[in-house]
Amino acid sequence: MTTQQPQPSNDDPTGITGSVLPDAKIGREAFGLLLLSFGVLGGLGALGALHWAAGLSAALVGLCASGVAVRRNSKQRWQQDVGAMAAFTAYAGQTALLFYLLAPLGWLAASLLAVAAGLRLSSDEGA
């Protein structure tokens, strides 16, 4: 099966018709994800240079937020389970970090989890 190549027009000096080629769009998205990854890594590194707990805390909060987003936006059950496990693991790690740094902060995190669970169970949306 042959594919039809776009014909260059007289007003288009590049010879490319259409807005963006699929390969160029994929390359642009890949480069954007690479820049995003380096930016997040740089931010976490800078926070970690200030204090190890700040970098670890930011990474755990990001992981928890990613897990919640995956859980809410996924349709397949296994993807929802992975998101829930990521969010729970990150929250548990954050709580352990807070207990290590200052016990009342750890108790505050554990209490907030109990409040969130209570609100979820008592609302009509949980059914």
Side-chain angles (χ1 to χ4, degrees):
M1 184 169 151
T2 60
T3 59
Q4 200 173 30
Q5 297 294 324
Q7 298 296 325
S9 68
N10 292 337
D11 5 342
D12 188 9
T14 62
I16 299 173
T17 58
S19 60
V20 178
L21 289 176
D23 291 340
K25 187 176 181 181
I26 291 172
R28 181 175 171 239
E29 289 178 8
F31 188 65
L33 287 174
L34 185 68
L35 286 174
L36 176 70
S37 300
F38 281 132
V40 169
L41 185 63
L44 291 176
L47 284 172
L50 292 174
H51 194 275
W52 65 268
L56 182 59
S57 182
L60 290 172
V61 167
L63 180 62
C64 187
S66 298
V68 169
V70 166
R71 172 103 170 102
R72 288 183 175 257
N73 298 331
S74 298
K75 293 188 190 261
Q76 294 183 353
R77 177 66 183 195
W78 70 270
Q79 291 174 337
Q80 292 177 357
D81 291 343
V82 167
M85 286 188 306
F88 177 76
T89 303
Y91 195 83
Q94 183 70 23
T95 304
L97 175 67
L98 290 174
F99 268 116
Y100 176 76
L101 292 175
L102 189 63
L105 289 177
W107 285 113
L108 180 63
S111 299
L112 287 177
L113 182 61
V115 167
L119 285 174
R120 174 75 175 163
L121 292 174
S122 66
S123 70
D124 290 336
E125 293 179 16

